[in-house]
Amino acid sequence: MKYYVIAGEASGDLHGANLMAAIRRQDPSAEFRFWGGDHMAAVGGTPVRHISSLSIMGFIEVATHMRSVLGNIAFCKKDILQYRPDAMVFVDYPGFNLRIAKFTRQHGLRNFYYISPMVWAWKKGRIKKMRPVIDKLYYILPFERNFFAHNYFQQAVYVGHPLLDEAAKYPLHPAPSSSAEGERHLPLVALLPGSRKQELAASLPAMLHVAGQHPEYQFEIAGMSLLGRNHYLSFLKEAPKNVLLKLDQTYNILSRSYAAIVCSGTATLEACLFGVPQVVCYRANAASAAIARHLLKVRYISLVNLVMNRRVVTELVQEHFTFPELEQEFRRLTQDDGYRTKMLEDYEEVKRELGGVGASERTARDIVAELQKPNP
């Protein structure tokens, strides 16, 4: 079978790669043509566009790059018709993927959507557009079940969260220890400033400010090579000596960390699964933030809090994301044993809510099984 896979962000690249590998185990003759990143390239196939040129976030930011977005959409449609796949596999990235899904449905292709758009949070009207164009929708958050049932989306299937598979590959983070020479290692704090340039600019300076106030900790920035090392270095010209930059080692860093400062996104759930107490921070373009406040229908921005529908971790958002508030929360996070213990206990409840490992395998089995049925 021929599969055309589209992921547009770093997390989508990781989950798309795992899904591609799982599909190949179910369908050894599988051929892939894809939009994605290095993880997907490692699985094999023909790359079309790299995520480094695709990841744009924010209402104003998307508007200013609209010519590029529309150009990519037009190219993608043409490329799909030339390739003529047996299946389209969309991985998150709804602004782009839902437009393509409408087009591919019109041309008789089968559409499978892995990691549902967050229609429960905003743009609920999208669900009416999704029903007629998506053959199967695979969602990964347990609370989405009631939403899709209430909105009569019968082709939606819960498969569990793919991050559980990734976290299971790493041991729990150890306590600070001594080296063979007897040198005491400083406790490690993970800095996860986001996967987009605008997120980096908004979050990293504040994270570095905290690091400068706490020489008793070692800080490691979980960077991403797709943004380029030089982009990070532009923020690190006067960085404290206790800060290191490491690219593409997020899970290695989290597996050794005592605490984390996290830009909201998938990383909040990653820190939870690794058992790392965290504070979540986020600041968007002022205009984008104003639009989001008008449209968003949720109380929280971090996945950890959304899964539990209550505050498990502190969120410092927009005007609350300041040096003093971040510093205050960091001290609480690292020095208040009761606070840390309660957060770790809540993490275990989050893990139970998410279920077990195997999201990629369950999704791959279902896609291959659906393709063996006649095309309706």
Side-chain angles (χ1 to χ4, degrees):
M1 293 282 188
K2 295 165 63 177
Y3 301 82
Y4 198 105
V5 188
I6 304 177
E9 299 172 312
S11 60
D13 174 42
L14 175 64
H15 301 321
N18 288 334
L19 179 58
M20 287 164 61
I23 288 174
R24 184 162 283 160
R25 287 190 286 272
Q26 299 293 321
D27 177 9
S29 64
E31 298 179 11
F32 297 107
R33 188 170 177 85
F34 62 89
W35 295 47
D38 296 342
H39 290 289
M40 293 169 71
V43 176
T46 303
V48 182
R49 287 282 193 273
H50 196 277
I51 57 173
S52 59
S53 64
L54 301 175
S55 185
I56 303 171
M57 184 176 182
F59 301 97
I60 303 303
E61 292 81 359
V62 169
T64 58
H65 290 82
M66 186 54 68
R67 177 177 294 183
S68 174
V69 172
L70 293 176
N72 279 329
I73 289 173
F75 174 82
C76 185
K77 290 177 179 179
K78 182 179 178 180
D79 193 57
I80 290 168
L81 291 183
Q82 290 177 343
Y83 185 60
R84 201 67 194 179
D86 297 292
M88 294 294 306
V89 180
F90 303 100
V91 185
D92 202 0
Y93 200 47
F96 187 93
N97 275 338
L98 289 178
R99 292 191 184 199
I100 300 299
K102 180 180 179 181
F103 172 81
T104 52
R105 166 59 76 218
Q106 291 170 347
H107 287 269
L109 299 180
R110 291 186 171 184
N111 291 333
F112 300 92
Y113 208 115
Y114 182 47
I115 307 180
S116 169
M118 294 190 296
V119 285
W120 42 268
W122 73 297
K123 288 192 175 182
K124 183 179 177 181
R126 274 179 170 170
I127 200 166
K128 295 179 181 179
K129 299 178 181 179
M130 291 163 59
R131 277 199 206 97
V133 302
I134 296 174
D135 291 274
K136 273 293 188 69
L137 176 71
Y138 304 97
Y139 62 93
I140 64 175
L141 295 169
F143 61 80
E144 293 176 307
R145 181 182 287 108
N146 289 338
F147 175 84
F148 287 117
H150 180 73
N151 286 278
Y152 306 104
F153 203 112
Q154 296 179 346
Q155 62 268 46
V157 179
Y158 178 56
V159 293
H161 205 292
L163 282 181
L164 290 166
D165 296 343
E166 289 302 309
K169 299 175 184 178
Y170 292 79
L172 292 176
H173 65 284
S177 60
S178 298
S179 67
E181 293 78 21
E183 179 184 356
R184 181 69 176 173
H185 292 300
L186 297 178
L188 177 62
V189 176
L191 302 180
L192 282 69
S195 60
R196 303 173 180 87
K197 290 182 178 179
Q198 60 263 43
E199 291 175 334
L200 212 65
S203 64
L204 192 51
M207 294 179 178
L208 294 176
H209 179 81
V210 169
Q213 304 300 308
H214 292 278
E216 70 274 21
Y217 293 100
Q218 175 68 51
F219 293 80
E220 290 187 3
I221 301 170
M224 311 192 76
S225 58
L226 69 90
L227 294 182
R229 177 178 291 274
N230 288 339
H231 192 72
Y232 290 94
L233 295 180
S234 66
F235 293 95
L236 299 176
K237 293 177 181 177
E238 298 181 3
K241 294 181 179 180
N242 60 334
V243 175
L244 293 176
L245 169 64
K246 295 190 175 181
L247 300 182
D248 304 327
Q249 296 188 45
T250 300
Y251 289 177
N252 175 273
I253 293 171
L254 284 174
S255 70
R256 298 179 289 110
S257 292
Y258 178 71
I261 305 176
V262 183
C263 178
S264 181
T266 303
T268 63
L269 190 55
E270 291 172 327
C272 166
L273 295 179
F274 278 93
V276 183
Q278 65 182 300
V279 53
V280 176
C281 53
Y282 193 80
R283 184 185 298 114
N285 172 287
S288 292
I291 296 171
R293 280 175 170 158
H294 178 71
L295 295 176
L296 287 175
K297 308 299 181 184
V298 293
R299 297 167 57 194
Y300 305 105
I301 64 169
S302 65
L303 283 172
V304 176
N305 291 347
L306 285 168
V307 167
M308 298 306 300
N309 195 30
R310 60 181 174 83
R311 195 181 85 165
V312 174
V313 300
T314 296
E315 300 178 351
L316 303 178
V317 183
Q318 291 304 108
E319 67 272 13
H320 293 290
F321 183 17
T322 63
F323 291 150
E325 289 192 67
L326 182 58
E327 170 66 18
Q328 179 181 353
E329 183 58 27
F330 180 77
R331 289 181 180 275
R332 185 183 182 198
L333 190 68
T334 54
Q335 299 175 14
D336 187 334
D337 289 340
Y339 183 58
R340 288 175 56 85
T341 298
K342 178 62 167 64
M343 190 179 297
L344 292 173
E345 290 173 350
D346 287 342
Y347 279 0
E348 292 303 313
E349 192 172 349
V350 173
K351 295 175 187 178
R352 287 193 292 272
E353 285 291 320
L354 291 175
V357 299
S360 299
E361 295 293 338
R362 284 187 284 272
T363 304
R365 282 197 300 269
D366 195 80
I367 289 175
V368 173
E370 287 293 320
L371 289 174
Q372 292 171 350
K373 299 177 183 177
N375 194 353

